[in-house]
Amino acid sequence: MATIYDVAKEAGVSIATVSKVINETGRISDKTRQHVRSVMKRLDYQPSLVASALTKKRTNTIGLLLPDLGNLFFAEVARSVEDRAHEKGYNVVICSTDNDADKEEKYLAWLRQKRVDGIILATGMQSDKSVKSLLDARLPVALIARESRRLSVDTVRVDDFRGGYLAASHLVELGHTRIAVIAENLSVSSSRERVEGYKKALEEAGLAVDEALIRISSFDIEGGKEAARQLLELTEPPTAVFACNDLLAIGILQVCRAMGLAVPARLSVVGFDNTLIASLAEPPLTTIAQPIPELGREVVDLITQEIHGEKQAKQRVVLDPRLIRRGSTASAPEQAPR
Amino acid sequence: MATIYDVAKEAGVSIATVSKVINETGRISDKTRQHVRSVMKRLDYQPSLVASALTKKRTNTIGLLLPDLGNLFFAEVARSVEDRAHEKGYNVVICSTDNDADKEEKYLAWLRQKRVDGIILATGMQSDKSVKSLLDARLPVALIARESRRLSVDTVRVDDFRGGYLAASHLVELGHTRIAVIAENLSVSSSRERVEGYKKALEEAGLAVDEALIRISSFDIEGGKEAARQLLELTEPPTAVFACNDLLAIGILQVCRAMGLAVPARLSVVGFDNTLIASLAEPPLTTIAQPIPELGREVVDLITQEIHGEKQAKQRVVLDPRLIRRGSTASAPEQAPR
DNA sequence: GTGAAAGCGCTAACAA
DNA sequence: TTGTTAGCGCTTTCAC
């Protein structure tokens, strides 16, 4: 593989000159520029970004930590981050942590050793430890789709509270009075906020918040199934459920089908995220849409500003969620189901 | 950020010694090792992988090119590649090309400049140009879920021909005689093979291959919808369709629902890939499963062997697909639909 | 068991 | 406009 020395020698100039034409810095005569360019092409010269990273102290790489790339929501987030990063000249290294604190720590150390220019966190860990360690190391960090109340850090997220509020309000408007919610781990800020929004909506409607209707589960389909079964076995089961993500909602739909419970006639279901699967579900899922492309775009813009030292204060960008009405919600049945 | 010099000075040893304890090479007394380790910890020292990459000529990074991370199949592939790569000490840089030749070329040049140790291609481009350029540059390459007939290159894929054969045979066994196929771009090897397998199954069953029943479309839901509409408008429409991926199959289901055509009673549908959405579809999709975790594992093993120079010949690993019977297929109706 | 020194491929003063 | 040179932070002989 050709080096800058090879090019310089072949072109009969110094390496400084070659460097200048590569980076388009300094003043170079058109003639030499053309000449050097042609030599670079002829030798199939690829400037080493690792060497330049060593001197420039910049790798043009961003790390992205998320729970699971195989989860469509995070895959879509990753895609949006990737797109904006590429536009801005950055590569993205993705690490799936499975929400495992050890993996998270390991990957973070690794990314620091790789000298990534910044790290975007989409993992919903309970502790702020990782974030804090990055902040302490003065490495640019930004959170996407999560929030840290105690730490001052760039953040881009959807208004989860409002999302929960929208979901519950929609159900209230449809006349439901027994509305359940299935949340992921409440120590994850987004989940907590959604539940708070839900409570607010019920309260505003003069409905009592029944703790029996608030279920915590894992964040996958299985979690939704289990929680749904429990809810439907209640002596006074709900007529509507707000699931804190689409996967959970799908789980509910599956349980209903298995039990022969019609959705939305007997049970209304609202999801969250509006990933592709929401539109594919049967019935199509009414859900709260997160503006994923914008989230990715904003978080990259934030972190690149941070990297370039163009920012003074940390920012929190909160985007609005939207209610997408589809087929999984309807007016409350006259009688309670069963 | 502390450097090896800081650690050496603080520990009262030479940088060579520090380097040796970092890499666990050479012989170092237990005492100094402990001491140096403690200093490293105290200084929160993170060895620079960019500096070491410059000397070692190895970045421990693998590039992964795929069409779209937002497509669940590729997201799952990426996840499996990531997992195995991490196990082996490699990072993964992912680039979505949208099957755009310009992007592909751009990303490849970029990855070369980053000095990635190898590149895994999951993009189904028509030309072998990219692969050839990498081979020429003597950069380790491996293909996953695609094939290059003309080039000698490490490859891991599912037996697409057999997959198509399995799908069509299943439909034949159910008594279908008018079986359509919806394929992506036929210049993509996997797609072509699946169609060939389909043809083979029909021929073996003594059924004529009707070119009108072979449709080419884009590889997303919209493509499936459009192709489905065309097929169903035929004067002699099919009673079964084999879609070359799950997304296409979903498109078919949606069109059927819109038209009030019962699946599988009036039309049987088989997908390919067995991504999560296949199990979520209504009815759940009968599909051909690709062993994605194994694909990822194998391709990483192949490319790391190549990187370490442990291989003599290029290998082609072909894994078996499996038919997953679910609810979207049934016996052929007595009469042609409509 | 430890250290001195050359070199990896580039950038950025600073000179010329 | 072009070239010289000193790093960037490591690894790796080769002495000691």
Side-chain angles (χ1 to χ4, degrees), chain B residues 118-171:
Chain B
I119 293 181
I120 296 173
L121 294 173
T123 51
M125 290 304 297
Q126 15 286 60
S127 92
D128 287 330
K129 222 179 104 196
S130 324
V131 185
K132 186 145 187 344
S133 73
L134 294 176
L135 253 21
D136 288 347
R138 321 194 99 268
L139 189 62
V141 208
L143 309 185
I144 181 170
R146 63 165 295 201
E147 166 91 271
S148 172
R149 274 260 155 267
R150 344 161 60 124
L151 263 25
S152 176
V153 50
D154 287 311
T155 304
V156 180
R157 63 177 179 91
V158 81
D159 189 334
D160 292 296
F161 181 89
R162 186 166 162 69
Y165 181 86
L166 282 176
S169 295
H170 172 60
L171 294 169

Side-chain angles (χ1 to χ4, degrees), chain B residues 73-269:
Chain B
F73 172 69
F74 291 107
E76 291 182 4
V77 165
R79 175 69 215 255
S80 70
V81 167
E82 191 211 321
D83 278 352
R84 185 59 170 174
H86 283 167
E87 278 178 38
K88 299 209 150 193
Y90 288 84
N91 268 134
V92 181
V93 173
I94 299 174
C95 298
S96 297
T97 65
D98 291 317
N99 279 331
D100 172 336
D102 289 341
K103 280 195 193 176
E104 178 157 330
E105 197 172 350
K106 178 185 133 197
Y107 291 149
L108 283 178
W110 204 0
L111 292 173
R112 288 183 60 188
Q113 299 186 176
K114 295 224 104 169
R115 297 295 189 266
V116 296
D117 297 329
I119 293 181
I120 296 173
L121 294 173
T123 51
M125 290 304 297
Q126 15 286 60
S127 92
D128 287 330
K129 222 179 104 196
S130 324
V131 185
K132 186 145 187 344
S133 73
L134 294 176
L135 253 21
D136 288 347
R138 321 194 99 268
L139 189 62
V141 208
L143 309 185
I144 181 170
R146 63 165 295 201
E147 166 91 271
S148 172
R149 274 260 155 267
R150 344 161 60 124
L151 263 25
S152 176
V153 50
D154 287 311
T155 304
V156 180
R157 63 177 179 91
V158 81
D159 189 334
D160 292 296
F161 181 89
R162 186 166 162 69
Y165 181 86
L166 282 176
S169 295
H170 172 60
L171 294 169
V172 165
E173 278 166 20
L174 288 171
H176 293 274
T177 52
R178 284 197 60 76
I179 302 173
V181 60
I182 303 180
E184 310 168 32
N185 194 328
L186 280 192
S187 62
V188 176
S189 59
S190 59
S191 214
R192 197 170 50 234
E193 288 293 310
R194 291 171 198 176
V195 172
E196 290 304 318
Y198 149 92
K199 286 184 181 171
K200 178 75 181 304
L202 295 203
E203 281 162 12
E204 279 191 11
L207 295 173
V209 170
D210 181 350
E211 290 294 332
L213 295 183
I214 301 179
R215 319 301 290 211
I216 310 303
S217 81
S218 61
F219 71 106
D220 51 12
I221 293 183
E222 279 314 312
K225 283 185 169 177
E226 197 177 318
R229 279 192 212 99
Q230 293 171 359
L231 283 170
L232 294 173
E233 276 172 4
L234 257 33
T235 47
E236 217 181 330
T239 61
V241 186
F242 163 41
C244 280
N245 72 46
D246 290 340
L247 245 26
L248 292 173
I250 295 285
I252 302 173
L253 295 185
Q254 293 187 344
V255 165
C256 289
R257 187 174 308 138
M259 294 176 59
L261 188 70
V263 174
R266 303 290 299 284
L267 187 75
S268 284
V269 178

Side-chain angles (χ1 to χ4, degrees), chain A residues 98-114:
Chain A
D98 290 317
N99 278 331
D100 171 336
D102 289 341
K103 278 195 194 175
E104 179 158 329
E105 197 172 350
K106 178 184 132 196
Y107 291 149
L108 283 178
W110 204 1
L111 291 173
R112 287 183 60 188
Q113 299 185 179
K114 294 224 104 167

Side-chain angles (χ1 to χ4, degrees), chain A residues 205-216:
Chain A
L207 295 173
V209 170
D210 180 349
E211 289 296 332
L213 295 183
I214 301 180
R215 318 301 289 210
I216 310 303

Side-chain angles (χ1 to χ4, degrees), chain A residues 3-5 19 23 45 48 55:
Chain A
T3 74
I4 199 172
Y5 290 97
S19 176
N23 300 291
Y45 168 66
S48 165
T55 47

